[in-house]
């Protein structure tokens, strides 16, 4: 993974970390529930964007390497990992 892409993901995750701390403070301060829920939705959306980028990177790097390797066991392993991930998302 390129250094810039890594830095971008880390920066996003740190912003999300700050947002979560902010939500905790909102709860502590007994802020209006809808305001808190809006912030929770923002965090979920931000996490989904990071997740999507990591998944794209995985497909472009790890899965692509497995396909290029010609090794059926390695290809099956990467395919199974993705299936397991998608099955967890459905639950």
């Amino acid at each position: 993974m390129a250094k810039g892409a890594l830095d971008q993901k880390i920066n996003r995750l740190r912003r999300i970390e700050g947002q979560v701390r902010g939500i905790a403070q909102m709860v502590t301060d007994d802020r209006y529930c809808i305001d808190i829920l809006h912030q929770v939705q923002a965090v979920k959306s931000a996490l989904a964007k990071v997740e999507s980028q990591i998944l794209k990177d995985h497909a472009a790097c790890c899965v692509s390497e497995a396909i290029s390797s010609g090794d059926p066991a390695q290809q099956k392993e990467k395919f199974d990992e993705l299936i397991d991930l998608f099955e967890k998302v459905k639950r």
Side-chain angles (χ1 to χ4, degrees), residues 46-56 85 89:
L47 276 173
K49 288 178 186 175
V50 172
E51 178 185 36
S52 178
Q53 188 58 55
I54 292 170
L55 182 58
K56 287 177 186 176
L85 177 67
V89 169

Side-chain angles (χ1 to χ4, degrees), residues 3 10-11 13 15 37 45 47 51 61 65 71 89:
K3 176 97 169 95
I10 295 299
N11 287 338
L13 289 168
R15 275 195 305 274
L37 290 169
S45 175
L47 276 173
E51 178 185 36
C61 181
E65 286 175 8
D71 179 357
V89 169

Side-chain angles (χ1 to χ4, degrees), residues 6-85:
L6 175 64
D7 289 344
Q8 185 180 38
K9 282 185 210 65
I10 295 299
N11 287 338
R12 281 183 178 209
L13 289 168
R14 287 189 178 135
R15 275 195 305 274
I16 292 167
E17 180 182 22
Q19 286 177 291
V20 171
R21 282 195 303 272
I23 292 169
Q25 188 62 51
M26 291 175 78
V27 171
T28 299
D29 294 345
D30 199 27
R31 296 275 301 270
Y32 185 54
C33 296
I34 293 298
D35 292 340
I36 296 169
L37 290 169
H38 282 295
Q39 291 305 310
V40 168
Q41 290 300 313
V43 167
K44 288 170 64 175
S45 175
L47 276 173
K49 288 178 186 175
V50 172
E51 178 185 36
S52 178
Q53 188 58 55
I54 292 170
L55 182 58
K56 287 177 186 176
D57 291 348
H58 180 65
C61 181
C62 303
V63 174
S64 178
E65 286 175 8
I67 292 168
S68 297
S69 75
D71 179 357
Q74 188 178 6
Q75 293 168 351
K76 182 176 179 343
E77 177 186 347
K78 296 303 175 195
F79 180 76
D80 288 347
E81 287 174 351
L82 290 174
I83 295 300
D84 289 346
L85 177 67

